[in-house]
Amino acid sequence: MDSRTSNRVRPLSLEDLGVAAAAMEAVSLPAEEEIERLPDDNEELSKVRAALEMGFAGVILCGPPGTGKSWYAKRIAQTIAGEPDAIRIVQFHTSYQYEDFMEGFVPKDGGGFELQKKSFPLLCEDAIERPDIIHVLLIDEISRCDVARVFGEALTYMEVDKRGLEFTLASGNTLVVPRNLVILATMNPWDKGVDELDVALERRFAQIDMLPDVLALRSILEGKGVDSALIDRLAAFFEGVQRLDDEMVHLGHAYFNNCIDEDSARRAWDFRLFPFFKKACRLDKDMLSDIRRMWLRSFPPQGGIGDGGAILPIVEPPQLQPGQAT
C-alpha cells in the first residue's frame, strides 16, 4: 500500500480554515423609527391593500429604475406589518436558487453537510407562531431569476385558498404557508427575466405600475430648495425623454435626486444619466444622439466636466506635400 494513503486525512472544520458559516436568514428592516409609515390615504398603499383584499397572493411594484419602487415597498411593508420584526427582505439575483430560498445543504463544523431551512420556511414558521400578526416578505428584483424554480412547490400554496394546507418539500419535510404572510416584490419590466416570468406567478400576483412622474421630480427638488429655473430645465429634459417611443429609456425621477445646483446636475449627467442612456440605446445610436441634444438644449456645454457627452468634431490631419517630413 502506498504510504501516502495509509493515514487517514483529518477533515478540516470551518474554524480550521478561519471562516465562519454564513448566515442564510433574510435581512430584517431597520428599526421602526428609521422607516416611516405611510399615511392611510397614500395612493400606493391603498392599491396594495385593495389587491390583497381581492385575494392575490402578493403584490409586485413594477416600473423602470428610479421610480421609487424599493422606497415605497419598504414603507408599505412597515405600514402593513404587525411588528417591525415581522418583516424580512430578500434580494433575488441571477444565481439565486431554490436552495437559497427554501432549503439547502450547508457545511457542518467538523465536516459533512446538513439540510438547513432558508428565508421562506423560516418566515412561514415565524408567522405561524404569531397568527395575529401580519408578516411581510419583501422580495427586491423578483424578476432577476427563475422565480418558479426558486419557489418550487410553495408557488401553488401561496394562493389564498390554499393557505394553511400542509405540503411536502423536495427534501420530504413539510411546510404550511400561513394566511398572515404577505409577499411584496419589486420588478423592473425591462429586465431580461421578465420575458420568462412564470405565467402561474403572474396570475397569483397583482402588479401595480410605478411610472416616471415629473410632478414627483418637481416635488423632490423643491423639497431640497433647488432653484425653480433649474427645476424647469431638468423637468423639460425629463419630459422630453418620456415622450420618446422606446420605453427602455424612460428612467425614473429618482435619478435626479442629487441635482441640487448647476454643477451637480452636470455631474449627474456625466456619471449617471449618460451611462444609463448609452446602455439603453446601445442598439439605437440615433436615439442616443437625440437624448444628448435634448440635454444640451437645457444644459449647453461649458467645457470640461458637464459637456453632456458632446462629440468633438473630427479634425482631418493635414496633407503632407512631397518631401515633407512625417
Side-chain angles (χ1 to χ4, degrees), residues 42-59:
N42 178 269
E43 183 178 0
E44 309 305 333
L45 174 62
S46 298
K47 290 179 181 178
V48 169
R49 282 176 166 163
L52 295 174
E53 289 172 2
M54 289 177 63
F56 284 100
V59 179

Side-chain angles (χ1 to χ4, degrees), residues 108-176:
K108 286 195 307 183
D109 193 12
F113 294 86
E114 63 180 354
L115 188 66
Q116 188 177 87
K117 296 175 183 178
K118 300 303 178 68
S119 305
F120 191 71
L122 289 173
L123 186 56
C124 286
E125 290 180 356
D126 288 347
I128 290 171
E129 291 178 1
R130 298 190 291 177
D132 297 329
I133 295 177
I134 297 296
H135 287 62
V136 179
L137 174 63
L138 174 51
I139 303 173
D140 199 22
E141 306 289 0
I142 193 172
S143 57
R144 289 286 176 88
C145 64
D146 187 339
V147 182
R149 178 174 293 181
V150 169
F151 274 96
E153 307 84 3
L155 184 61
T156 296
Y157 293 89
M158 288 191 302
E159 292 193 44
V160 174
D161 62 350
K162 294 182 175 62
R163 295 289 182 100
L165 298 180
E166 186 177 81
F167 62 98
T168 304
L169 301 174
S171 65
N173 292 331
T174 59
L175 181 66
V176 172

Side-chain angles (χ1 to χ4, degrees), residues 4 13 23 305 322:
R4 290 174 298 178
S13 68
I305 290 181

